[in-house]
Amino acid sequence: MQPLVIMKDVKKQFPGVTALDGISFDIMPGEVHVLLGENGAGKSTLMKILSGVHKPTDGQIIIGGSEFTALTPKDSRSCGISVIYQELSVINELSIQENLFVGNLPVKNIGPMKIVDYKKMREATQMLLGKVGLRKDPETAVEELSISEKQQVEIAKALAADSRILIMDEPTTSLTSSEVSHLFAVIRELKKEGHGIVFISHKLGEIMEIGDRVTVLKDGRYVGTKKISDVTQDDLVTMMVGRQISKNYQHPSADYSDAPVIFEVRNLSRKDGKVKNVSFKLRRGEILGFSGLVGSGRSEMMNSIFGAEPKACGEILIDGKEVRTSAPFYSIKSGLAMVTENRRETGFFHNFSIKKNISVLPFIKQSSFAGITGLVSDKNEDIWADEQKKNLNIKCYSTEQGITELSGGNQQKVILGKWLAADSQIIIFDEPTKGIDVGSKGEIYALMRRLADEGKGILVVSSELPELLAVCDTIAVFREGEIVAVFPHKEATEEKIIAASTAEKGEGNRP
Amino acid sequence: MNANNKIGNSTFAFKTAWQRYGTLGILILLLTILAALKPGYFFQPSTVTQILSQSSVNILIALGEFFAILIAGIDLSVGSVTALSGMVTAKLMVAGIAPLPAVILGILLGAILGFINGILVNGTGLHPFIITLGTQAIFRGITLIISDSSAIFGFPASFTTFMAKRFIYIPVSAFIALVAALVLAFLTNKTKLGRNIYALGGNKESAWYSGINVKLHTLIVFIISGICAGIAGAVLLGRVGSAEPAAATGFETYAIAAAIIGGTSFFGGKGKIFGVVMGGLIIGVINFGMNLLSVSSTLQQVVMGALIIGSVTLDRFVAGNK
């Protein structure tokens, strides 16, 4: 069989840095070729060369027999290449069918005039939606769809443009596990029809499930291409990071049942019903994880505990004393911290340096009235930033550097650094490693354990079960705003947790 | 990608230098051009006086506007606030109240008008553009009502002589603007309040999660803007010698232009007081220069508009912000 695309010895030089150093890559019809590597390994650059965004410095691209030294975005499209980015590019204000055919609307003639042929568009859309398994009316406005449905629209759009090659850049990041299995079903259908799929992902479990071959990149260099059936997850990790990362971060013989309770939530409820009468305790040294489907109320609960969103009733206790958490300012004063799910939206300040991102928190915490009184101290600022740089191993050449210049893992460390600089006692992590590469994930997990050992209270919300299983001593399962099951680390398995989070009401172990 | 992070050091150094001193460079360039074109008129001490005196009001208003833009908002009402607080100050003085308390009350009124803007923005959740577009008309209307649409003059001599004073060709109004700029530079660089305002401008959500009271800071920002416009109102009285109901009409445009030319990001979170002062002086020099070169006032508008677009385009191009 002839490959759909062959990239031979592709090099890409940016001023001062080699982003790709002689990468070869090909895509066969009917296969899912996984592209794997840490952030900065060169995956996105390679795919941007294929989609015509970047011109390669050297190398060859052969698509369907024709040879190119560089592609323009137009070449790329006409060769049948479509990219489905993490940030979806659907137009929210338009209907599904308009999204599919925007720029290429089917027309019919009425006398001398050409008008849009809505009937034809509708039929074609229905056919394409059938292929991607989206049961929606073609005239539904895209803004009414969920993220996974929008992604299906995006795939249908690629099919509408007659694409043979689909590049999916971390397509499962924002999906729940049932949505992921749905996506995989669609991918399998596309394979049957002979499409070639490039699948970029950090999630090894998914890769093992959906991939046929895998190519690993590291620091812009080609590490190797393997058949998925010939490798294990450990092999892939070794290829990616060049070292084995240990699997678990719990202390094997630890027992926290007699340790003092350092944090407690009693009867927490929200007006919108997303959290219903939740109570739990956290003991010194223990890491408590919260599992559950997206929308089960975990993040909402954390936001209410932290005071970022209102709660209807409930008590928050630190070291046995009730604390005021009616707004983040008061929670911070009480020693609470929250590492939020979206670094860019709710975590850091893009206009600030690393140093200023760290100092903003201790400055506010030390201030008496609403965080606005007092002067900024350059000396303290330097001390805090240097301390956290060392403490968390933040990789930067200077703490004056802009935070947007850092990798996701290092940005996350800066955010954690700001909470530690303010001497926070209880730290809530909401999806702590979202969009972070495997190597940095391990570092973050080790940090969480170290902080717990030092006596900080650690709460973790995560949609990635392996993450919770690797880090948490206790895992609570959330469903429809309630804790429906609690598993000690030793008894917890993916199967049990999934069963508890998807079970009908009334099932599962009550805490 | 990593690739974009590692730009050559020389580019980086140039960028930093441009961000810090680019506007100063433009100002010097403009002055040089003027000096070359009209050496006879330019090299006179009164030139300094004229430029500074013309720029002071604009700089004062722009200093307040800067904060509104810094939180990714805007304050379109500054011209009307200047007019209304100037009008009230004038009426108080004419009614026999001593200049100093009258001016202080006028500035206080500016603060109250800013407070109203802030409360409306916080309460409605609407964009400051809409709120201040409304209050711009309301405050102007009130100015017209209380003045009966006619000018007020006949201030005490102590006020007019003080405002006309000069120290080595530098007018009092320039000192007032300088003090305001220094106080606000201290606020932005050295206080937690200032740091929080930058944080809020960069990312409202992150600010909230970091314990910053978003509404309180928004309110403070609009009060600062109102106070600056209030001071500008008093300074304008001293310069013109009367309170006109249509005073400072359209001054918000110059204030916004000064802030933007001075490097304030329209998306919030970035900008310096020094830049705003430079921006205000640049506009003052261009106005002065065009008068010197006998450019018609209608054409001056065209030049000013082109300058705003040109300078911001240049800045984005040089800074390489996407």
Side-chain angles (χ1 to χ4, degrees), chain B residues 108-152:
Chain B
L108 194 66
L109 176 65
I112 292 168
L113 299 177
F115 179 81
I116 292 171
N117 279 330
I119 289 287
L120 287 173
V121 168
N122 283 338
T124 60
L126 291 172
H127 192 278
F129 187 100
I130 300 165
I131 295 297
T132 57
L133 186 67
T135 53
Q136 178 192 55
I138 294 170
F139 298 159
R140 178 68 64 187
I142 296 172
T143 313
L144 290 167
I145 293 167
I146 63 165
S147 67
D148 222 357
S149 300
S150 52
I152 306 260

Side-chain angles (χ1 to χ4, degrees), chain B:
Chain B
M1 284 303 305
N2 281 344
N4 301 331
N5 304 345
K6 296 173 186 169
I7 307 153
N9 267 340
S10 58
T11 333
F12 182 73
F14 175 71
K15 261 187 175 181
T16 321
W18 174 264
Q19 273 163 9
R20 281 206 191 137
Y21 307 113
T23 44
L24 182 62
I26 293 175
L27 182 63
I28 292 169
L29 180 73
L30 284 172
L31 289 171
T32 316
I33 293 172
L34 268 188
L37 287 174
K38 289 268 179 183
Y41 292 95
F42 186 77
F43 289 107
Q44 282 174 7
S46 65
T47 303
V48 178
T49 316
Q50 276 195 48
I51 291 176
L52 288 180
S53 149
Q54 282 182 5
S55 307
S56 302
V57 171
N58 188 24
I59 289 174
L60 278 165
I61 299 176
L63 286 171
E65 186 71 62
F66 163 75
F67 285 90
I69 298 177
L70 195 59
I71 61 163
I74 198 148
D75 187 348
L76 297 176
S77 72
V78 283
S80 300
V81 174
T82 302
L84 181 51
S85 29
M87 182 59 71
V88 168
T89 307
K91 286 217 132 196
L92 290 173
M93 283 196 290
V94 171
I97 291 175
L100 188 62
V103 167
I104 289 171
L105 285 172
I107 295 169
L108 194 66
L109 176 65
I112 292 168
L113 299 177
F115 179 81
I116 292 171
N117 279 330
I119 289 287
L120 287 173
V121 168
N122 283 338
T124 60
L126 291 172
H127 192 278
F129 187 100
I130 300 165
I131 295 297
T132 57
L133 186 67
T135 53
Q136 178 192 55
I138 294 170
F139 298 159
R140 178 68 64 187
I142 296 172
T143 313
L144 290 167
I145 293 167
I146 63 165
S147 67
D148 222 357
S149 300
S150 52
I152 306 260
F153 41 85
F155 308 141
S158 58
F159 177 72
T160 39
T161 47
F162 176 75
M163 293 306 280
K165 264 192 191 148
R166 253 149 238 189
F167 304 92
I168 349 167
Y169 303 109
I170 299 172
V172 168
S173 59
F175 281 104
I176 295 173
L178 179 70
V179 170
L182 288 176
V183 168
L184 293 175
F186 180 78
L187 181 110
T188 52
N189 290 324
K190 294 290 174 200
T191 67
K192 290 183 186 173
L193 173 63
R195 183 64 65 84
N196 292 348
I197 291 171
Y198 278 95
L200 174 63
N203 188 337
K204 269 196 182 73
E205 287 291 312
S206 293
W208 172 241
Y209 275 92
S210 299
I212 293 171
N213 187 331
V214 174
K215 289 192 170 176
L216 178 65
H217 284 78
T218 306
L219 188 62
I220 292 173
V221 160
F222 280 100
I223 292 174
I224 293 174
S225 181
I227 291 174
C228 289
I231 300 172
V235 170
L236 192 62
L237 284 188
R239 201 181 88 199
V240 181
S242 68
E244 309 282 341
T249 303
F251 277 28
E252 61 279 352
T253 317
Y254 292 120
I256 296 165
I260 300 292
I261 291 169
T264 315
S265 164
F266 220 74
F267 302 101
K270 282 182 187 167
K272 290 268 171 216
I273 290 290
F274 176 75
V276 180
V277 175
M278 287 300 124
L281 283 174
I282 285 172
I283 290 176
V285 167
I286 290 173
N287 273 332
F288 174 80
M290 287 194 290
N291 286 333
L292 196 66
L293 301 171
S294 323
V295 178
S296 74
S297 62
T298 39
L299 189 58
Q300 286 193 14
Q301 299 251 9
V302 177
V303 174
M304 194 56 74
L307 177 91
I308 294 168
I309 296 170
S311 70
V312 178
T313 312
L314 181 71
D315 186 56
R316 292 199 88 190
F317 179 71
V318 174
N321 293 336
K322 285 180 192 171

Side-chain angles (χ1 to χ4, degrees), chain A residues 440-454:
Chain A
S440 310
K441 273 187 182 180
E443 257 185 293
I444 302 267
Y445 299 154
L447 273 171
M448 287 160 79
R449 174 53 60 191
R450 199 185 86 202
L451 294 169
D453 289 347
E454 289 167 8

